[in-house]
Structures are given as structure tokens and as C-alpha cells.
Amino acid sequence: LATGAPKGVALKGAGYPPIAEPDRAPSIARGKQVYEADCALCHGAHGRGTKLDSRHYAFPPLWGPDAYNWGAGMHELNVAAGFVHANMPLGQPDTLSVQQAWDVAAYIDSHERPQDPRFVGSVEETQMRYHRHDCLYGHKERGKILGAHPYPDPLAQH
């Protein structure tokens, strides 16, 4: 993707814009409603994305074994909320409120995904070392500790 791009220069549209703090704490329940209304059409009802064929996605998975891992920037709520607010729904940037962006980021990131590649053998220790920011890694959601599910590294499968 970066072929021909100048080195050391910030490219327009790169990165995730900062987003204001929401008026209320992010809510997974409210985020589920936003997801169902504004995201599921492209990313699927179960967040597994929409495939073009057996290897390529038209719309990427947002959780599950082929989603971004727990070490990716998008697992941080502020990063995901900023991206969502500035870019989603596709072709309709800035249509979700700041609160809706934070809520849907919380909902998306409350699901299991591949392990952080820096995993040190326990979720608790990995959380203490690498997840001291606003994220849900190591939190209990729907009866399971996030990050404890043994999804394989999707890159190791190819």
C-alpha cells in the first residue's frame, strides 16, 4: 500500500484522528444497537466481515479469528472510536455522534480476537505489561476473560 509514498512524511488520511471524550461512559449495550443499525450490513451480524472469496474480504471482520489482534491499535477504545467517527459508516463519515462512536467501539472491542503477539503466557501479566490504556483486554465480558481465548494467529494459518 505504501509503494511510492515518501518516507518520513505524514500522508493525508493516514492514522486515526483523535476524538473527544464521550459525555457518558462508553456502553457495550448502546454500542450493540449502533452496530446492528449502522455496521452489520457490511461487517456482518456476527462481526465476521464479508468475504469476496475464500481469502479476501470486501469488509473486514471486526472480531473473531480473522480480526485484528489484541496488540493492534484498534483494540484501544479511543483509537477505534476515532476511526469509526471519522470514517464509518462507509461513505458517511462523521454521521455517528461522538457518543455513538465510543459506544460501538466498546461493543466491537468487547469481543474475542487473536491474541496479542506480545503475549507472555498469562492474560494478567500481558495486561499489566502492554494494556495499561483504555481497552477491554483482560476484562470479563459475557462470562469470559477477553484475551484468554486461544484463537490462533491468523498469519500463521496462511
Side-chain angles (χ1 to χ4, degrees):
L1 290 177
T3 302
K7 293 181 181 178
V9 176
L11 300 175
K12 183 178 178 181
Y16 306 118
I19 187 170
E21 292 285 326
D23 291 333
R24 298 181 287 170
S27 163
I28 292 170
R30 288 192 311 264
K32 182 178 188 221
Q33 293 174 335
V34 174
Y35 184 86
E36 289 170 348
D38 296 296
C39 311
L41 179 65
C42 295
H43 296 282
H46 301 289
R48 298 300 173 98
T50 303
K51 283 192 162 188
L52 291 171
D53 55 41
S54 64
R55 292 183 22 186
H56 301 96
Y57 284 94
F59 300 100
L62 299 177
W63 62 83
D66 290 337
Y68 52 88
N69 67 47
W70 283 112
M74 287 290 282
H75 92 281
E76 296 179 38
L77 294 181
N78 63 309
V79 173
F83 177 82
V84 167
H85 189 257
N87 297 289
M88 296 291 134
L90 185 63
Q92 301 175 52
D94 299 315
T95 57
L96 296 178
S97 70
V98 167
Q99 185 69 58
Q100 288 173 313
W102 279 91
D103 291 343
V104 78
Y107 176 68
I108 290 166
D109 285 351
S110 75
H111 290 83
E112 199 55 82
R113 59 196 63 262
Q115 184 55 265
D116 186 327
R118 303 164 296 183
F119 185 66
V120 296
S122 86
V123 171
E124 295 80 16
E125 188 169 338
T126 304
Q127 182 182 30
M128 289 299 296
R129 278 189 180 178
Y130 303 111
H131 296 275
R132 301 186 96 176
H133 45 257
D134 194 8
C135 74
L136 297 175
Y137 183 87
H139 291 239
K140 190 172 189 177
E141 294 296 335
R142 292 178 285 286
K144 295 182 180 179
I145 301 294
L146 295 174
H149 191 282
Y151 277 134
D153 179 347
L155 297 177
Q157 296 176 4
H158 300 289

PDB file of all heavy atoms in Angstrom, residues 33-49:
ATOM      1  N   GLN A  33     -26.561  -1.676  19.712  1.00  0.00           N
ATOM      2  CA  GLN A  33     -27.645  -1.078  18.919  1.00  0.00           C
ATOM      3  C   GLN A  33     -27.086  -0.310  17.724  1.00  0.00           C
ATOM      4  O   GLN A  33     -27.613  -0.402  16.616  1.00  0.00           O
ATOM      5  CB  GLN A  33     -28.491  -0.162  19.795  1.00  0.00           C
ATOM      6  CG  GLN A  33     -29.265  -0.898  20.857  1.00  0.00           C
ATOM      7  CD  GLN A  33     -29.977   0.047  21.816  1.00  0.00           C
ATOM      8  OE1 GLN A  33     -29.579   1.199  22.012  1.00  0.00           O
ATOM      9  NE2 GLN A  33     -31.034  -0.451  22.420  1.00  0.00           N
ATOM     10  N   VAL A  34     -26.008   0.445  17.946  1.00  0.00           N
ATOM     11  CA  VAL A  34     -25.372   1.184  16.848  1.00  0.00           C
ATOM     12  C   VAL A  34     -24.831   0.193  15.821  1.00  0.00           C
ATOM     13  O   VAL A  34     -25.029   0.373  14.616  1.00  0.00           O
ATOM     14  CB  VAL A  34     -24.240   2.103  17.367  1.00  0.00           C
ATOM     15  CG1 VAL A  34     -23.494   2.755  16.209  1.00  0.00           C
ATOM     16  CG2 VAL A  34     -24.786   3.163  18.313  1.00  0.00           C
ATOM     17  N   TYR A  35     -24.163  -0.851  16.308  1.00  0.00           N
ATOM     18  CA  TYR A  35     -23.594  -1.851  15.403  1.00  0.00           C
ATOM     19  C   TYR A  35     -24.691  -2.470  14.529  1.00  0.00           C
ATOM     20  O   TYR A  35     -24.534  -2.559  13.308  1.00  0.00           O
ATOM     21  CB  TYR A  35     -22.860  -2.949  16.177  1.00  0.00           C
ATOM     22  CG  TYR A  35     -22.189  -3.924  15.237  1.00  0.00           C
ATOM     23  CD1 TYR A  35     -20.917  -3.669  14.747  1.00  0.00           C
ATOM     24  CD2 TYR A  35     -22.852  -5.070  14.792  1.00  0.00           C
ATOM     25  CE1 TYR A  35     -20.313  -4.527  13.844  1.00  0.00           C
ATOM     26  CE2 TYR A  35     -22.263  -5.930  13.890  1.00  0.00           C
ATOM     27  CZ  TYR A  35     -20.994  -5.661  13.420  1.00  0.00           C
ATOM     28  OH  TYR A  35     -20.414  -6.503  12.512  1.00  0.00           O
ATOM     29  N   GLU A  36     -25.763  -2.893  15.150  1.00  0.00           N
ATOM     30  CA  GLU A  36     -26.845  -3.533  14.398  1.00  0.00           C
ATOM     31  C   GLU A  36     -27.457  -2.587  13.368  1.00  0.00           C
ATOM     32  O   GLU A  36     -27.794  -3.012  12.262  1.00  0.00           O
ATOM     33  CB  GLU A  36     -27.910  -4.053  15.354  1.00  0.00           C
ATOM     34  CG  GLU A  36     -27.425  -5.256  16.150  1.00  0.00           C
ATOM     35  CD  GLU A  36     -28.358  -5.674  17.280  1.00  0.00           C
ATOM     36  OE1 GLU A  36     -29.293  -4.915  17.630  1.00  0.00           O
ATOM     37  OE2 GLU A  36     -28.130  -6.772  17.827  1.00  0.00           O
ATOM     38  N   ALA A  37     -27.571  -1.309  13.697  1.00  0.00           N
ATOM     39  CA  ALA A  37     -28.188  -0.342  12.790  1.00  0.00           C
ATOM     40  C   ALA A  37     -27.240   0.161  11.701  1.00  0.00           C
ATOM     41  O   ALA A  37     -27.677   0.417  10.581  1.00  0.00           O
ATOM     42  CB  ALA A  37     -28.714   0.852  13.597  1.00  0.00           C
ATOM     43  N   ASP A  38     -25.947   0.300  12.024  1.00  0.00           N
ATOM     44  CA  ASP A  38     -25.044   1.009  11.114  1.00  0.00           C
ATOM     45  C   ASP A  38     -23.832   0.223  10.628  1.00  0.00           C
ATOM     46  O   ASP A  38     -23.132   0.693   9.740  1.00  0.00           O
ATOM     47  CB  ASP A  38     -24.541   2.288  11.794  1.00  0.00           C
ATOM     48  CG  ASP A  38     -25.661   3.260  12.071  1.00  0.00           C
ATOM     49  OD1 ASP A  38     -26.264   3.751  11.094  1.00  0.00           O
ATOM     50  OD2 ASP A  38     -25.951   3.516  13.254  1.00  0.00           O
ATOM     51  N   CYS A  39     -23.547  -0.935  11.201  1.00  0.00           N
ATOM     52  CA  CYS A  39     -22.310  -1.651  10.865  1.00  0.00           C
ATOM     53  C   CYS A  39     -22.539  -3.056  10.327  1.00  0.00           C
ATOM     54  O   CYS A  39     -21.766  -3.548   9.500  1.00  0.00           O
ATOM     55  CB  CYS A  39     -21.399  -1.754  12.100  1.00  0.00           C
ATOM     56  SG  CYS A  39     -21.146  -0.203  12.984  1.00  0.00           S
ATOM     57  N   ALA A  40     -23.579  -3.718  10.818  1.00  0.00           N
ATOM     58  CA  ALA A  40     -23.800  -5.130  10.495  1.00  0.00           C
ATOM     59  C   ALA A  40     -24.023  -5.377   9.007  1.00  0.00           C
ATOM     60  O   ALA A  40     -23.648  -6.436   8.497  1.00  0.00           O
ATOM     61  CB  ALA A  40     -24.976  -5.681  11.298  1.00  0.00           C
ATOM     62  N   LEU A  41     -24.584  -4.412   8.300  1.00  0.00           N
ATOM     63  CA  LEU A  41     -24.834  -4.594   6.870  1.00  0.00           C
ATOM     64  C   LEU A  41     -23.542  -4.950   6.136  1.00  0.00           C
ATOM     65  O   LEU A  41     -23.534  -5.843   5.282  1.00  0.00           O
ATOM     66  CB  LEU A  41     -25.447  -3.331   6.266  1.00  0.00           C
ATOM     67  CG  LEU A  41     -25.729  -3.380   4.763  1.00  0.00           C
ATOM     68  CD1 LEU A  41     -26.789  -4.426   4.451  1.00  0.00           C
ATOM     69  CD2 LEU A  41     -26.168  -2.017   4.263  1.00  0.00           C
ATOM     70  N   CYS A  42     -22.445  -4.308   6.484  1.00  0.00           N
ATOM     71  CA  CYS A  42     -21.164  -4.576   5.821  1.00  0.00           C
ATOM     72  C   CYS A  42     -20.323  -5.622   6.554  1.00  0.00           C
ATOM     73  O   CYS A  42     -19.752  -6.510   5.934  1.00  0.00           O
ATOM     74  CB  CYS A  42     -20.353  -3.285   5.696  1.00  0.00           C
ATOM     75  SG  CYS A  42     -21.127  -2.051   4.629  1.00  0.00           S
ATOM     76  N   HIS A  43     -20.217  -5.486   7.873  1.00  0.00           N
ATOM     77  CA  HIS A  43     -19.315  -6.334   8.650  1.00  0.00           C
ATOM     78  C   HIS A  43     -19.968  -7.619   9.153  1.00  0.00           C
ATOM     79  O   HIS A  43     -19.292  -8.454   9.750  1.00  0.00           O
ATOM     80  CB  HIS A  43     -18.723  -5.549   9.821  1.00  0.00           C
ATOM     81  CG  HIS A  43     -17.864  -4.417   9.369  1.00  0.00           C
ATOM     82  ND1 HIS A  43     -16.574  -4.601   8.907  1.00  0.00           N
ATOM     83  CD2 HIS A  43     -18.111  -3.082   9.297  1.00  0.00           C
ATOM     84  CE1 HIS A  43     -16.064  -3.429   8.574  1.00  0.00           C
ATOM     85  NE2 HIS A  43     -16.969  -2.496   8.795  1.00  0.00           N
ATOM     86  N   GLY A  44     -21.254  -7.781   8.906  1.00  0.00           N
ATOM     87  CA  GLY A  44     -21.956  -8.998   9.278  1.00  0.00           C
ATOM     88  C   GLY A  44     -22.552  -8.932  10.672  1.00  0.00           C
ATOM     89  O   GLY A  44     -22.030  -8.263  11.557  1.00  0.00           O
ATOM     90  N   ALA A  45     -23.642  -9.638  10.854  1.00  0.00           N
ATOM     91  CA  ALA A  45     -24.346  -9.651  12.141  1.00  0.00           C
ATOM     92  C   ALA A  45     -23.463 -10.167  13.264  1.00  0.00           C
ATOM     93  O   ALA A  45     -23.623  -9.779  14.417  1.00  0.00           O
ATOM     94  CB  ALA A  45     -25.611 -10.497  12.033  1.00  0.00           C
ATOM     95  N   HIS A  46     -22.509 -11.030  12.935  1.00  0.00           N
ATOM     96  CA  HIS A  46     -21.638 -11.623  13.941  1.00  0.00           C
ATOM     97  C   HIS A  46     -20.219 -11.071  13.864  1.00  0.00           C
ATOM     98  O   HIS A  46     -19.286 -11.688  14.382  1.00  0.00           O
ATOM     99  CB  HIS A  46     -21.644 -13.143  13.819  1.00  0.00           C
ATOM    100  CG  HIS A  46     -23.014 -13.713  13.980  1.00  0.00           C
ATOM    101  ND1 HIS A  46     -23.676 -13.741  15.191  1.00  0.00           N
ATOM    102  CD2 HIS A  46     -23.866 -14.234  13.077  1.00  0.00           C
ATOM    103  CE1 HIS A  46     -24.873 -14.259  15.025  1.00  0.00           C
ATOM    104  NE2 HIS A  46     -25.009 -14.576  13.754  1.00  0.00           N
ATOM    105  N   GLY A  47     -20.036  -9.931  13.190  1.00  0.00           N
ATOM    106  CA  GLY A  47     -18.749  -9.252  13.150  1.00  0.00           C
ATOM    107  C   GLY A  47     -17.660  -9.960  12.388  1.00  0.00           C
ATOM    108  O   GLY A  47     -16.489  -9.586  12.471  1.00  0.00           O
ATOM    109  N   ARG A  48     -18.019 -10.971  11.606  1.00  0.00           N
ATOM    110  CA  ARG A  48     -17.015 -11.789  10.919  1.00  0.00           C
ATOM    111  C   ARG A  48     -16.645 -11.260   9.542  1.00  0.00           C
ATOM    112  O   ARG A  48     -15.906 -11.902   8.791  1.00  0.00           O
ATOM    113  CB  ARG A  48     -17.487 -13.240  10.814  1.00  0.00           C
ATOM    114  CG  ARG A  48     -17.696 -13.925  12.153  1.00  0.00           C
ATOM    115  CD  ARG A  48     -16.398 -13.962  12.961  1.00  0.00           C
ATOM    116  NE  ARG A  48     -16.559 -14.452  14.294  1.00  0.00           N
ATOM    117  CZ  ARG A  48     -16.313 -15.681  14.683  1.00  0.00           C
ATOM    118  NH1 ARG A  48     -15.920 -16.572  13.829  1.00  0.00           N
ATOM    119  NH2 ARG A  48     -16.479 -16.013  15.944  1.00  0.00           N
ATOM    120  N   GLY A  49     -17.138 -10.089   9.165  1.00  0.00           N
ATOM    121  CA  GLY A  49     -16.790  -9.498   7.876  1.00  0.00           C
ATOM    122  C   GLY A  49     -17.594 -10.097   6.737  1.00  0.00           C
ATOM    123  O   GLY A  49     -18.401 -11.006   6.920  1.00  0.00           O
TER     124      GLY A  49
END
